[in-house]
């Protein structure tokens, strides 16, 4: 560091040059951003290949599919495959999936939100710490490991071959992750806000819905979208817990379309396209809330 003296004898402020180390760090970060962006575009291209194949195949006829290039667009697009799928009760399977998804998401998110609030606000109580530990342990239990006990419980409850048989286990497996995300979000709410609500005479129930609920809305959207995607794509529970054709959901119906149409690949591609449309729309609507909710508390 150098100090200059002007003609009047007073010291002039020194000019600080930016450290070379910071310059090198900036260049390195810029280089990493270029590499990360390039890899991101490569990954997007890889992911889009099967989506592109499914969409263009759904507009081909069965005869043209075997004689033309697999990745070539159809020369004469047709909607016959979609008509075939719609004529084979795809609307009923879609309605069943909507009922199962909504019927599981609403109670799962409500229970998880209240449980997360109680765990954060009453962290000093033993029973709440034990409850939180049980929820965290539920994250380590895969559905495939307990499908037989779930099947036996559903049989005992006389709920086999009903949509409620799919809804109840879906609620149970959606709660652990939802509690984890919501509790991390509620912990970020300043304690002074809770104290001010208490001084104003608000009850815990009023604080829950008037303070915690509006401030944790991004996390609520996150767990809703994440669990909705998992329940909509669920295959094992409908396969094991239902039997009648009118109780099938969309993922299970795809297998039956495959058996029904044999090697009619375009018809199967059309059914897959119709199945994924709600998922893509749901993710596109809540993409930002999903990312912000999952990354809550990382910088703490």
């Amino acid at each position: 560091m150098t100090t200059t003296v002007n003609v009047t004898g007073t010291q002039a402020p020194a000019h600080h040059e930016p450290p070379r180390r910071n310059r090198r760090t900036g260049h390195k970060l810029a280089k990493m951003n270029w590499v990360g962006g390039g890899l991101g575009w490569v990954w997007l291209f890889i992911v889009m290949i099967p989506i592109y194949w499914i969409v263009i195949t759904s507009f081909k006829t069965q005869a043209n599919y075997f004689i033309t290039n697999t990745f070539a667009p159809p020369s004469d697009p047709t909607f016959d495959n979609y008509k075939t799928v719609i004529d084979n009760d795809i609307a009923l399977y879609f309605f069943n999936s909507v009922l199962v998804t909504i019927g599981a998401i609403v109670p799962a998110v409500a229970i998880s939100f209240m449980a997360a609030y109680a765990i954060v606000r009453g962290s000093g109580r033993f029973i709440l710490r034990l409850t939180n530990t049980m929820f965290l342990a539920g994250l380590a239990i895969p559905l495939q490991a307990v499908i037989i006990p779930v099947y036996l419980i559903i049989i005992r409850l006389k709920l086999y071959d009903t949509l409620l048989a799919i809804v109840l286990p879906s609620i149970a497996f959606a709660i652990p992750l939802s509690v984890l995300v919501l509790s991390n979000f509620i912990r970020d709410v300043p304690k002074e806000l809770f104290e001010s609500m208490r001084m104003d005479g608000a009850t815990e129930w009023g604080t829950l819905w008037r303070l915690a609920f509006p401030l944790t809305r991004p996390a609520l959207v996150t767990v809703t979208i994440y669990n909705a995607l998992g329940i909509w794509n669920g295959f094992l529970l409908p396969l094991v817990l239902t039997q009648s054709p009118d109780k099938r959901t969309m993922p299970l119906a795809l297998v039956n379309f495959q058996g029904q149409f044999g090697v009619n690949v375009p018809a199967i591609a059309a059914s897959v396209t119709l199945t994924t449309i709600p998922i893509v729309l749901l993710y596109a609507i809540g993409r930002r809330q999903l990312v912000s909710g999952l990354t809550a508390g990382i910088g703490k």
Side-chain angles (χ1 to χ4, degrees), residues 1-165:
M1 176 177 176
T2 59
T3 304
T4 59
V5 181
N6 56 18
V7 293
T8 59
T10 59
Q11 294 183 351
H15 298 281
H16 297 278
E17 295 183 358
R20 295 183 178 179
R21 184 177 180 180
N22 293 340
R23 294 180 180 178
R24 294 176 181 177
T25 304
H27 290 304
K28 188 179 296 184
L29 291 176
K31 185 177 180 180
M32 292 176 60
N33 289 336
W34 279 104
V35 174
L39 293 177
W41 282 105
V42 171
W43 178 250
L44 177 63
F45 177 76
I46 295 175
V47 172
M48 290 299 296
I49 290 177
I51 299 177
Y52 166 78
W53 178 85
I54 291 174
V55 173
I56 65 171
T57 303
S58 64
F59 292 101
K60 295 181 179 180
T61 61
Q62 185 177 5
N64 292 335
Y65 173 75
F66 290 101
I67 62 177
T68 59
N69 186 3
T70 304
F71 292 97
S75 57
D76 188 14
T78 178
F79 288 92
D80 292 341
N81 298 313
Y82 291 94
K83 184 177 182 302
T84 302
V85 173
I86 293 175
D87 291 341
N88 284 271
D89 296 331
I90 193 68
L92 176 62
Y93 305 144
F94 181 86
F95 182 71
N96 290 340
S97 293
V98 171
L99 285 181
V100 170
T101 303
I102 296 178
I105 284 300
V106 174
V109 173
I111 294 172
S112 302
F113 174 63
M114 291 185 288
Y117 177 83
I119 290 171
V120 174
R121 294 289 293 156
S123 57
R125 300 181 181 180
F126 173 77
I127 185 64
L128 293 177
R129 294 200 306 268
L130 180 62
T131 303
N132 188 30
T133 303
M134 294 177 61
F135 283 137
L136 294 178
L139 295 173
I141 302 176
L143 175 61
Q144 294 79 3
V146 295
I147 188 61
I148 295 179
V150 169
Y151 171 79
L152 296 177
I153 292 173
I154 293 299
I155 292 294
R156 291 292 182 88
L157 294 176
K158 297 181 180 181
L159 295 176
Y160 181 75
D161 201 21
T162 62
L163 295 180
L164 189 59

Side-chain angles (χ1 to χ4, degrees), residues 152-209:
L152 296 177
I153 292 173
I154 293 299
I155 292 294
R156 291 292 182 88
L157 294 176
K158 297 181 180 181
L159 295 176
Y160 181 75
D161 201 21
T162 62
L163 295 180
L164 189 59
I166 308 174
V167 170
L168 294 180
S170 299
I171 295 174
F173 282 95
I175 287 178
L177 181 61
S178 301
V179 171
L180 177 63
V181 175
L182 292 174
S183 59
N184 288 334
F185 221 91
I186 295 176
R187 286 191 183 96
D188 292 339
V189 178
K191 296 182 179 180
E192 290 78 8
L193 296 179
F194 292 106
E195 296 298 331
S196 63
M197 290 287 292
R198 178 179 296 182
M199 293 178 63
D200 290 339
T203 61
E204 289 292 342
W205 188 259
T207 304
L208 171 68
W209 295 108

